[in-house]
Amino acid sequence: MKRLLIVLSLLMLGLICAYAQWTRLTNLPTIYIDTYSGRAITSKTTYVYATMRYVDEADQVTVYDSLEIRGRGNSTWSLQKKPYKLKFHEKEKLLGKGYAKTKKWTLLANAGDKTLIRNAVTSAMGEFTTLKFNPAYKFVDLVLNGAFVGCYQLSDHVDVRPHRVDVVEQDLPLTDDSDISGGYLLEVDGFKDGNCFTTSSYSVPIRIHYPDEDDIVASQNTYIRDYIGQFERALRSSDFKDPVLGYRAFVDSTSLIDWFLCTEISANLDGYYSTYFYKDKGDSLLYWGPIWDADIAFGNDYRVTTTVDRLMTDVGFGQTKQWLNRMWQDEWFSRKVFTRYMELVERGLVDYLFTQIDSLRELLWESQELNYERWGIDRRMYHEIVLYSSYDEYISYLRSFISAHCAYLEEAFANRKPVDPTPPFVASNYFYRITNAGSAKAIKESTSGDPAKGVVQQWENLEDAESEDWWVKKANGHYMLLNRVSLRALNDPTQGEVGPTTNVGTALDTAPEDSLDERQLWDIIPQGTAGYYNLLNVYTQHIANLSGGNSANGASILSYTNDERNASSRNRLWYFIPTKEAIPETLTGIRDIEPKEYALAYNPSTDELHFGSETPELLARLTARVYDASGRLVGSFRGDERFSMAAQPHGVFIVAWRCGSQQRSVKFIKP
């Protein structure tokens, strides 16, 4: 017995000595994770075994030796400061009493959010409303395999569990008497991960999170797909405003409005790209939330120049907008949004958010200093619009954004009318980013090795990437799309016999500008109410389509089928977002063009256009065409002739001609 006590004492002494090295780095808890054999975490799908030591605020050390860890996130996994997912062998109550006890937890890096607190503030905003399930969290310092990797947010994983999304769990396995009306946890998922289907009415990608794809059976899949289909048909019907026959019969209006307001208040451009909602057993309604993934919200996303005075249903990304912009056409919805928003404001919403920000700033002060010693505070990690040299400047920017945006929302909601259909496209004197409705990435021209051609691809929106900017130019009653860098035109090179649904699938490219080549002419066709357009090639009658809905950089843009899915397939839908920079005038009044060879001039005294050259005999080789500002051909003339403009009104005109293999065009103003 005495020997046993000695052994136990030695073991306890060893544990005490071992724990002495596990100390907190700041006032926050510190998590130490060591993978077995120091194995790197390189995958979002393959777990790595590890041990974890959690040093709490009282410096008590808890050891977890049955742990697995892997990467998580979509685009955020590609960042240097990476997010992780934890899975324990047993259910753990990591956040304490009153919070979830479960196996799965997340470590959010908040790498693109220099305040580190946007997710936490958004969760607190959800608690200020009626939303039931708002992700709980605790900030920690993370040490991985002996190296400090930053301030992290230990948070709930969005799943069906008590204290998370607390709906009734379905029988596993199902029996003949099982009620499969719920629960279900669903997500409008722009990435189409996991067990995903696309709705028939609005082409919205829906992921079924619960039941898990390893457990769900055909009858459950069929039930929830059919139910979402019923909701969409009611929303799309002529009776959609009717409280019994329309969409309101399928939604919990309280959670719908509060979830919508949280998305708009946070100005989360991806709030409609990733939208969680759920259905409980024996309940006919769809409930909305939890709100999630707000690290690039509150004016922290350069893909749209400013969101402080914009609604996300107008400029945000994702297919949930299809549903919401239909709801905007219902006066009940617009009135409900305004009334509820004013209730929240009068209850002190803005002051509440400021209190949360100030409290979190104080809590994270020590940790953020360590974090930015590791990562740099003035270095762009993701989509940040502004970069400062101090933490408090980022905090001040967040407060200022909330103040200005909330003031804007009051006016916007008060004046909001049912959404009108997407208007006809009218090109402005600015370059455009042509952005896919599904992937939120832009059409880019890359070099091909052939000076006469360029490769057309999808690429992440980058603020200074001029190869993603396009001049949308009227030509012959249609449009040409000229790349800002190369001035080559978007071109459909499809060969052979073509028609709207035949010989499709050729990758688009760019070619030297030729306004007479119908392969370079496009019609920009409005679709729906969300500001989407199709790009229809005049020659092939094909639609520009993102290959396979691929979200990866480098995906091709295809010449594709033109049919009834043009309005609903997000692969075929594009935003035309004007940039900040205006297109310089090509010609105002009279300007020499290639003066060493020849010049085009306008003589106001005779009201004539004509060319001049040191080798006038060569001018006979040119045939020039004159178009008005709408692209209508008003006449043509040979290069050694004069062309009278007397019959034309004052205004802007375009003269186009070919010189050898080069197509030329200039603009002039008839005074």
Side-chain angles (χ1 to χ4, degrees):
M1 183 67 177
K2 183 177 180 180
R3 182 175 179 177
L4 177 60
L5 290 174
I6 292 172
V7 171
L8 290 174
S9 297
L10 289 171
L11 288 173
M12 290 299 296
L13 180 61
L15 288 173
I16 292 170
C17 292
Y19 282 7
Q21 64 178 304
W22 312 116
T23 58
R24 284 186 295 146
L25 302 181
T26 70
N27 58 302
L28 299 182
T30 299
I31 289 178
Y32 294 87
I33 295 178
D34 292 284
T35 62
Y36 286 108
S37 301
R39 185 176 172 187
I41 303 163
T42 59
S43 171
K44 295 194 303 177
T45 57
T46 303
Y47 281 100
V48 175
Y49 287 101
T51 58
M52 182 176 110
R53 292 168 178 84
Y54 182 92
V55 188
D56 66 18
E57 294 91 337
D59 295 314
Q60 297 297 309
V61 181
T62 305
V63 180
Y64 302 91
D65 60 1
S66 296
L67 169 71
E68 295 175 81
I69 183 170
R70 64 168 172 83
R72 68 170 303 278
N74 288 300
S75 54
T76 53
W77 176 244
S78 66
L79 306 183
Q80 288 182 295
K81 184 186 178 189
K82 298 186 179 300
Y84 299 102
K85 183 173 181 178
L86 306 178
K87 184 170 71 173
F88 294 85
H89 181 65
E90 302 289 343
K91 292 182 180 180
E92 302 292 348
K93 212 173 184 70
L94 291 185
L95 300 183
K97 187 176 180 180
Y99 296 100
K101 182 177 183 180
T102 184
K103 296 179 181 180
K104 295 179 181 179
W105 297 85
T106 61
L107 281 167
L108 300 179
N110 294 316
D113 173 14
K114 293 295 192 295
T115 71
L116 301 168
I117 64 174
R118 280 177 167 84
N119 273 311
V121 169
T122 305
S123 184
M125 178 169 54
E127 293 177 0
F128 190 81
T129 70
T130 61
L131 294 180
K132 290 183 178 180
F133 310 124
N134 301 291
Y137 61 87
K138 179 173 285 189
F139 285 97
V140 300
D141 295 312
L142 178 62
V143 178
L144 183 58
N145 287 333
F148 172 71
V149 290
C151 177
Y152 275 71
Q153 186 175 337
L154 176 64
S155 183
D156 281 332
H157 176 71
V158 180
D159 60 2
V160 172
R161 290 290 183 274
H163 299 294
R164 288 189 173 174
V165 180
D166 196 2
V167 297
V168 176
E169 296 185 39
Q170 298 208 31
D171 297 337
L172 184 65
L174 290 181
T175 69
D176 292 340
D177 298 324
S178 294
D179 182 353
I180 63 170
S181 66
Y184 294 91
L185 175 61
L186 309 166
E187 179 191 7
V188 176
D189 182 4
F191 290 102
K192 292 186 176 180
D193 289 337
N195 181 15
C196 196
F197 67 94
T198 301
T199 63
S200 57
S201 295
Y202 286 95
S203 293
V204 178
I206 306 292
R207 181 179 179 181
I208 304 173
H209 282 275
Y210 180 85
D212 185 270
E213 64 181 312
D214 293 333
D215 300 325
I216 196 168
V217 298
S219 60
Q220 294 166 313
N221 258 318
T222 299
Y223 173 84
I224 196 60
R225 292 180 184 217
D226 288 348
Y227 196 80
I228 300 302
Q230 293 176 48
F231 157 68
E232 278 203 333
R233 288 191 292 275
L235 180 62
R236 195 158 196 166
S237 73
S238 59
D239 295 320
F240 79 103
K241 298 181 183 181
D242 190 287
V244 176
L245 301 177
Y247 71 97
R248 277 187 270 163
F250 291 86
V251 300
D252 172 67
S253 60
T254 300
S255 65
L256 170 66
I257 299 298
D258 277 358
W259 161 81
F260 170 76
L261 286 174
C262 284
T263 303
E264 291 293 344
I265 294 166
S266 64
N268 189 350
L269 284 168
D270 283 344
Y272 305 134
Y273 193 79
S274 172
T275 299
Y276 284 96
F277 60 113
Y278 54 93
K279 184 183 183 301
D280 212 344
K281 181 180 291 186
D283 191 330
S284 63
L285 301 179
L286 298 170
Y287 293 78
W288 302 79
I291 46 179
W292 182 256
D293 201 14
D295 55 326
I296 56 176
F298 297 106
N300 193 35
D301 189 337
Y302 65 54
R303 289 176 297 170
V304 173
T305 305
T306 178
T307 54
V308 71
D309 57 355
R310 310 291 292 276
L311 291 176
M312 299 307 99
T313 48
D314 291 336
V315 299
F317 305 111
Q319 293 301 91
T320 313
K321 286 174 56 177
Q322 298 271 27
W323 294 345
L324 289 168
N325 281 319
R326 178 64 164 169
M327 293 176 189
W328 267 130
Q329 298 179 45
D330 181 3
E331 293 81 1
W332 170 87
F333 181 81
S334 58
R335 285 195 302 269
K336 192 78 172 175
V337 165
F338 175 70
T339 302
R340 177 58 175 161
Y341 180 71
M342 295 310 300
E343 288 175 1
L344 295 176
V345 170
E346 289 164 9
R347 276 181 49 206
L349 169 68
V350 175
D351 286 341
Y352 172 81
L353 294 178
F354 285 172
T355 299
Q356 296 297 315
I357 291 169
D358 293 342
S359 176
L360 289 165
R361 172 199 172 273
E362 183 177 355
L363 176 68
L364 297 190
W365 188 257
E366 293 180 27
S367 184
Q368 64 84 18
E369 287 186 321
L370 278 183
N371 184 81
Y372 291 119
E373 285 178 13
R374 173 71 176 82
W375 297 110
I377 199 164
D378 58 354
R379 171 184 167 197
R380 177 167 283 115
M381 293 283 281
Y382 193 35
H383 287 169
E384 300 100 311
I385 288 180
V386 293
L387 294 174
Y388 296 117
S389 59
S390 72
Y391 185 67
D392 269 347
E393 287 178 291
Y394 289 106
I395 293 292
S396 295
Y397 174 81
L398 176 58
R399 289 173 60 101
S400 297
F401 182 91
I402 290 172
S403 180
H405 187 56
C406 286
Y408 159 76
L409 289 178
E410 181 174 338
E411 180 180 355
F413 292 151
N415 297 329
R416 187 73 181 191
K417 298 177 181 179
V419 175
D420 294 325
T422 299
F425 181 83
V426 178
S428 65
N429 193 41
Y430 288 85
F431 294 106
Y432 285 86
R433 289 289 172 94
I434 306 170
T435 304
N436 184 257
S439 70
K441 293 189 175 181
I443 297 179
K444 172 186 178 181
E445 185 198 36
S446 301
T447 57
S448 65
D450 181 346
K453 287 188 177 182
V455 175
V456 175
Q457 301 172 321
Q458 165 185 266
W459 210 264
E460 182 177 355
N461 272 287
L462 299 173
E463 187 174 13
D464 57 353
E466 293 187 351
S467 59
E468 297 177 3
D469 295 346
W470 297 84
W471 175 14
V472 182
K473 175 183 175 183
K474 269 286 191 180
N476 299 342
H478 306 283
Y479 283 105
M480 299 185 74
L481 282 69
L482 304 179
N483 186 264
R484 179 176 182 173
V485 175
S486 70
L487 289 181
R488 288 187 292 247
L490 185 67
N491 178 72
D492 186 341
T494 303
Q495 300 298 313
E497 187 174 342
V498 292
T501 61
T502 60
N503 202 7
V504 300
T506 300
L508 301 183
D509 61 15
T510 58
E513 178 187 358
D514 183 353
S515 62
L516 302 181
D517 184 351
E518 290 188 340
R519 296 175 184 274
Q520 298 181 20
L521 299 180
W522 302 84
D523 290 330
I524 302 175
I525 302 170
Q527 293 290 4
T529 60
Y532 298 138
Y533 294 88
N534 294 139
L535 269 169
L536 172 67
N537 187 262
V538 172
Y539 176 79
T540 63
Q541 290 297 295
H542 292 168
I543 298 291
N545 180 89
L546 173 59
S547 178
N550 196 328
S551 61
N553 289 341
S556 297
I557 313 299
L558 304 181
S559 170
Y560 209 68
T561 305
N562 173 6
D563 59 21
E564 67 279 357
R565 294 194 64 224
N566 289 347
S568 58
S569 172
R570 62 188 185 137
N571 301 343
R572 310 179 193 179
L573 296 171
W574 305 88
Y575 295 107
F576 281 71
I577 303 173
T579 66
K580 300 181 203 176
E581 296 188 49
I583 300 167
E585 288 287 343
T586 306
L587 178 68
T588 301
I590 302 172
R591 179 178 170 189
D592 288 342
I593 303 299
E594 299 177 353
K596 293 181 180 179
E597 299 177 2
Y598 55 88
L600 173 67
Y602 169 68
N603 187 335
S605 62
T606 62
D607 209 4
E608 292 178 325
L609 285 167
H610 65 92
F611 287 93
S613 173
E614 295 178 357
T615 54
E617 66 275 12
L618 298 179
L619 291 176
R621 300 179 181 182
L622 305 179
T623 299
R625 293 172 173 80
V626 183
Y627 303 92
D628 65 16
S630 70
R632 181 178 64 88
L633 179 67
V634 298
S636 62
F637 65 102
R638 208 169 63 183
D640 59 350
E641 298 174 339
R642 293 177 176 267
F643 181 79
S644 175
M645 295 292 295
Q648 305 304 321
H650 304 306
V652 177
F653 292 85
I654 297 169
V655 182
W657 69 95
R658 180 177 290 279
C659 178
S661 62
Q662 299 297 314
Q663 180 72 23
R664 309 293 190 192
S665 62
V666 295
K667 185 190 300 182
F668 79 98
I669 298 174
K670 178 183 174 182

